[in-house]
Amino acid sequence: MQDALGEVQSVLVLGGGSDIGRALCVRLARARCRTVVLAGRPEDDMEPVAEAVRAAGATTVELVHWDSTDVESHQKVIDEVFDRHGDIDLVYVPAGILGSQAAFDADPVFAAKAVEINFGGLVSASLVVAERLKRQGHGTIVLMSSVAGLRGRKDNFVYGSTKAGLDAFGQGLGDALDGSGVKVVVVRPGFVRTKMTEGMDAAPFSTTPDKVAALIVDGLAKGQEVVWAPPLLKYPFFVFRLLPRFAWRIVADRAAG
């Protein structure tokens, strides 16, 4: 359980090779978190994350096979993690792929797979997690949305639609869990310089995994339901969501150019 100071002592990461997940778990381990479970596929390169978390102070670090698209296995995998460790304070869900709109246009099957990875599989896993957290009476789910999901753009609308769905799901799940002791936090980062965005031109207000992790930790401490990364992004996107479509196309074209 969270300790007397309300700090996280155990975390499960669904998408254990994530750069932001690594930064978050290192921050938590440097504080009071001692149990870290990294769940993902062998190709997700989770061992370096595990090593970094151990070096930061975690005493129990476990790697678990979990695949967002294997929804039939989610109940079993997640139940086993909770049964082994008895109590999980935080479940962080960064799993997903970025892809490119050109690749999705050329291969609609790949586009559908991205929807399955980024949205469908996370809905399945999050619902299983929510039920386990309700049973223990406390805990937090942190879902990684994106500003790309707040207004569709022609250069990334498949990816953006997956994040739009996850954002709406996270807000609804949080409302459904109100009063249960379980909280849901939706994180809306802009461009983050990670291995997933390597080689891409950085967008305005770009940030780093460590800065996003710091904002998540701060948001958890403050009880925030939505975390913007960086916080400044909430202001332009308040305006962007109100723009007529013809005006938004102009803004999006200039941003892409």
Side-chain angles (χ1 to χ4, degrees), residues 227-240:
V227 173
W228 295 78
L232 183 63
L233 284 175
K234 72 176 71 174
Y235 302 109
F237 274 90
F238 175 81
V239 176
F240 291 159

Side-chain angles (χ1 to χ4, degrees), residues 30-220:
R30 285 174 179 165
R32 296 175 180 271
C33 183
R34 293 297 173 261
T35 298
V36 177
V37 181
L38 304 173
R41 304 164 304 165
E43 58 265 38
D44 290 339
D45 199 23
M46 296 187 290
E47 189 54 51
V49 180
E51 292 175 3
V53 173
R54 291 188 189 101
T59 54
T60 300
V61 181
E62 181 183 11
L63 274 60
V64 174
H65 184 271
W66 172 82
D67 187 332
S68 177
T69 65
D70 186 10
V71 294
E72 289 81 6
S73 72
H74 290 177
Q75 186 81 54
K76 181 176 185 293
V77 172
I78 292 167
D79 277 346
E80 288 177 350
V81 169
F82 275 78
D83 290 345
R84 276 196 301 275
H85 297 284
D87 195 284
I88 300 291
D89 295 328
L90 175 67
V91 180
Y92 176 59
V93 189
I97 63 170
L98 179 59
S100 72
Q101 190 57 49
F104 294 142
D105 290 341
D107 186 355
V109 173
F110 178 41
K113 179 61 70 174
V115 174
E116 185 181 11
I117 294 169
N118 290 5
F119 180 53
L122 304 190
V123 167
S124 166
S126 297
L127 289 173
V128 174
V129 165
E131 187 58 34
R132 289 302 306 239
L133 294 179
K134 282 171 62 179
R135 285 166 55 184
Q136 71 181 25
H138 74 96
T140 303
I141 303 170
V142 176
L143 294 173
M144 292 299 291
S145 178
S146 168
V147 297
L150 300 178
R151 193 75 194 259
R153 296 201 327 254
K154 66 182 182 182
D155 63 334
N156 74 346
F157 63 86
V158 169
Y159 173 77
S161 68
T162 68
K163 292 301 185 179
L166 190 64
D167 198 292
F169 169 78
Q171 293 181 67
L173 180 62
D175 291 344
L177 293 170
D178 186 46
S180 69
V182 182
K183 298 179 180 179
V184 178
V185 178
V186 174
V187 183
R188 294 172 178 164
F191 187 97
V192 186
R193 293 188 290 275
T194 67
K195 56 178 176 280
M196 190 167 71
T197 60
E198 189 174 356
M200 298 174 62
D201 293 332
F205 309 114
S206 61
T207 188
T208 65
D210 192 58
K211 288 179 180 178
V212 176
L215 289 167
I216 293 172
V217 171
D218 185 59
L220 292 172

